[in-house]
């Protein structure tokens, strides 16, 4: 069994590493403020993450019957329509999810 000193040292080291990792972005914020790379990433990462999530979600659907894939397909269509019309990512995700859940649980049972 490890000694008390060893356990305290482990907690202190873990705390120090956690603090440094959380403080570094704030410390380098001014250096990266006008970076074209950061500007480029801030434009494309949200869309890229959403595309990857959509591909992952649609990849694991069972396409063998209409009852199993239509709710997801219609939810994705609603998500796209709401996002194109409002440009609100939260509204599009919530509306598509609601449509998918309602169809899967109450219509295509």
């Amino acid at each position: 069994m490890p000694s008390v000193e060893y356990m305290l040292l482990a907690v202190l080291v873990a705390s120090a590493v956690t603090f440094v990792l959380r403080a570094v972005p704030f410390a380098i914020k001014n250096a990266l403020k006008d970076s074209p790379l950061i500007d480029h990433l801030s434009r494309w990462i949200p869309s890229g993450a959403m595309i990857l999530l959509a591909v992952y979600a649609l990849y694991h659907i069972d396409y063998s019957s209409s009852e199993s894939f239509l709710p997801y397909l219609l939810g994705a269509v609603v998500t796209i329509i709401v996002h194109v019309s409002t440009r609100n990512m939260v509204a599009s995700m919530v509306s598509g999810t609601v449509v998918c859940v309602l169809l899967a649980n109450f219509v295509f049972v």
Side-chain angles (χ1 to χ4, degrees), residues 28-48:
I28 63 173
K29 178 182 170 188
N30 288 334
L32 297 176
K33 183 171 55 173
D34 297 325
S35 169
L37 174 64
I38 298 299
D39 186 46
H40 182 72
L41 289 175
S42 69
R43 277 195 221 129
W44 288 103
I45 285 180
S47 299

Side-chain angles (χ1 to χ4, degrees), residues 22-86:
R22 292 180 186 219
V24 165
F26 294 104
I28 63 173
K29 178 182 170 188
N30 288 334
L32 297 176
K33 183 171 55 173
D34 297 325
S35 169
L37 174 64
I38 298 299
D39 186 46
H40 182 72
L41 289 175
S42 69
R43 277 195 221 129
W44 288 103
I45 285 180
S47 299
M50 290 303 298
I51 290 170
L52 286 174
L53 286 170
V55 168
Y56 177 78
L58 295 174
Y59 178 76
H60 292 288
I61 295 172
D62 178 21
Y63 292 99
S64 62
S65 68
S66 62
E67 290 88 16
S68 62
F69 79 86
L70 271 179
Y72 300 103
L73 180 65
L74 294 173
V77 169
V78 167
T79 302
I80 292 167
I81 290 171
V82 170
H83 188 71
V84 167
S85 64
T86 65

Side-chain angles (χ1 to χ4, degrees), residues 6 27 71 76 80 91 103:
Y6 178 81
I80 292 167
L103 289 175

